[in-house]
Amino acid sequence: MIRMMVELRVKAGEVEAVETALRAYVGAVHKHEPLTELQAFRRGAEPVYVQVMGFPDEETAQRHRRCSYTRRFMEEVMPRCETDPQAIPLTLIG
């Protein structure tokens, strides 16, 4: 399993739009990618969102990156972020 975390630091005033986009994106992934794990969280009261993802293999991860709903999500959310989203690989230790 390939696991990663993506952090989105959102501009002030963009929280509602980003949360709406995240909900739609998570729904699309769950509908179209049954083997992909995806959860989205807000970090406390901060305008920071964390997505935790899991892909069974590299081919699935690559396919996910090319999906229309992934591209649409990034096009919608990127301008609303203070910084570029950071994808951080995760390694299971226990």
Side-chain angles (χ1 to χ4, degrees):
M1 181 70 71
I2 299 166
R3 296 192 186 274
M4 67 179 57
M5 178 180 82
V6 177
E7 184 176 280
L8 306 168
R9 185 169 297 279
V10 176
K11 294 175 185 174
E14 298 289 354
V15 167
E16 189 174 324
V18 169
E19 287 187 6
T20 299
L22 269 169
R23 286 187 190 97
Y25 174 59
V26 170
V29 170
H30 288 170
K31 179 179 179 181
H32 299 289
E33 299 180 49
L35 300 178
T36 298
E37 298 173 3
L38 173 60
Q39 294 179 302
F41 304 89
R42 184 170 179 177
R43 194 168 71 192
E46 297 177 67
V48 176
Y49 297 86
V50 177
Q51 298 173 64
V52 180
M53 302 177 172
F55 304 99
D57 52 44
E58 186 59 37
E59 181 180 332
T60 304
Q62 290 296 328
R63 193 174 327 115
H64 169 81
R65 291 180 191 105
R66 292 189 305 265
C67 287
S68 61
Y69 47 86
T70 299
R71 289 193 315 270
R72 186 171 42 254
F73 172 75
M74 293 305 292
E75 288 169 1
E76 186 174 342
V77 170
M78 288 284 289
R80 293 181 161 95
C81 292
E82 288 183 358
T83 59
D84 287 343
Q86 300 299 312
I88 302 162
L90 300 174
T91 303
L92 183 64
I93 59 170

